[in-house]
Amino acid sequence: MSNPKIAVYSLPDLKNTTDDALPNYLTSLKFKQSHFLTDVRLALGYTAVVIAAITFGLDYKLGWDKTKGLTLWAVIAYFILNGALTYWIWGIEKGKIFTGENDHALLTIASSVTKHTPVYNLTVRHANTSGSRTSWSTSQISAPFTRWFDADGHFVAKPFQQWLATEVPIIGQADPQNVVGGAPREQRADGPSGEKTKDQTPAKGLEVDTPRKATQNSASSTGTRSRKPKK
């Protein structure tokens, strides 16, 4: 079965399709996904809907005079629940598309895009649970959507999986076959606020051109020409 075709110029469609593919890939690597954030969001939303439905039914059956006191409290509860839902989405979830763990690590991934910029941004937080203390590390990676969407708008899973396995060490350890160029890239905490930044050390075997400071002798030797004495 072929992947569904989406509009390549629709940034929300590109992001949503990629967001859906990421948890499927990680669960195939034996990561156990936690649905706690989604469950709380659904509970708040459905509770508000149920309160509105019950209030409407009582008002329709008993009339306004008998239910106006109950309606007042129902409206207050409805706005409180919607306020809590808004805070949960923007203050707690913050774009998280995956929260889970495997045998030796915890992993949380949040996605985002910038308006009119077809680049997929991920904020990855992971912690090693094999030690006595859990220490979280944060890194940010990004790549254009054209890396895993073809010209017709079909999602191609292989380059997307290779990108994740290569850029995120914990995923690369779980899926070494998709790591491009050997071992997953090392990361070090050189960035601000303790965030992980990519090691920008030049690859072995590559020469880096550095400007050379010209000496006075070399400048004079190149700037003057030898003249033959006149006869």
Side-chain angles (χ1 to χ4, degrees):
M1 182 177 180
S2 60
N3 293 328
K5 180 180 178 180
I6 66 170
V8 294
Y9 299 106
S10 175
L11 195 56
D13 288 347
L14 294 171
K15 180 181 181 299
N16 292 335
T17 303
T18 307
D19 286 348
D20 293 339
L22 191 146
N24 294 334
Y25 170 53
L26 293 180
T27 52
S28 70
L29 300 178
K30 307 303 181 182
F31 280 92
K32 183 179 180 181
Q33 184 175 8
S34 171
H35 299 281
F36 174 74
L37 296 176
T38 304
D39 292 341
V40 172
R41 171 159 45 94
L42 293 176
L44 291 173
Y46 281 124
T47 302
V49 172
V50 169
I51 290 176
I54 293 176
T55 304
F56 173 79
L58 292 176
D59 180 67
Y60 179 80
K61 184 176 182 179
L62 302 177
W64 167 251
D65 292 335
K66 294 183 179 181
T67 59
K68 59 183 179 182
L70 178 63
T71 302
L72 174 63
W73 289 106
V75 170
I76 294 174
Y78 180 84
F79 278 102
I80 290 176
L81 287 172
N82 273 274
L85 177 61
T86 302
Y87 172 75
W88 186 263
I89 293 174
W90 297 103
I92 304 298
E93 289 188 356
K94 295 181 179 179
K96 293 182 179 69
I97 58 174
F98 183 85
T99 300
E101 61 181 328
N102 61 6
D103 294 337
H104 57 274
L106 302 174
L107 179 64
T108 299
I109 300 178
S111 68
S112 64
V113 293
T114 304
K115 192 175 181 180
H116 305 310
T117 304
V119 175
Y120 192 57
N121 305 305
L122 290 181
T123 300
V124 183
R125 298 183 71 242
H126 61 90
N128 194 337
T129 58
S130 59
S132 58
R133 186 177 64 177
T134 301
S135 178
W136 287 92
S137 300
T138 303
S139 61
Q140 294 181 345
I141 60 176
S142 61
F145 285 106
T146 53
R147 190 163 181 172
W148 50 82
F149 280 97
D150 61 19
D152 295 326
H154 295 104
F155 177 82
V156 184
K158 187 65 174 179
F160 177 66
Q161 295 171 358
Q162 289 177 338
W163 174 64
L164 287 175
T166 304
E167 297 292 339
V168 184
I170 187 175
I171 299 177
Q173 294 171 5
D175 188 16
Q177 294 182 352
N178 270 324
V179 177
V180 178
R185 295 186 181 181
E186 294 292 333
Q187 296 178 333
R188 59 187 182 184
D190 292 338
S193 304
E195 292 186 353
K196 297 283 185 178
T197 57
K198 299 226 184 325
D199 191 351
Q200 298 180 353
T201 305
K204 186 177 181 180
L206 296 179
E207 296 182 359
V208 180
D209 293 331
T210 55
R212 297 179 179 178
K213 185 176 180 181
T215 60
Q216 184 176 359
N217 293 335
S218 61
S220 60
S221 61
T222 57
T224 58
R225 297 181 179 178
S226 59
R227 297 180 180 178
K228 296 182 180 180
K230 297 181 180 180
K231 295 182 179 180

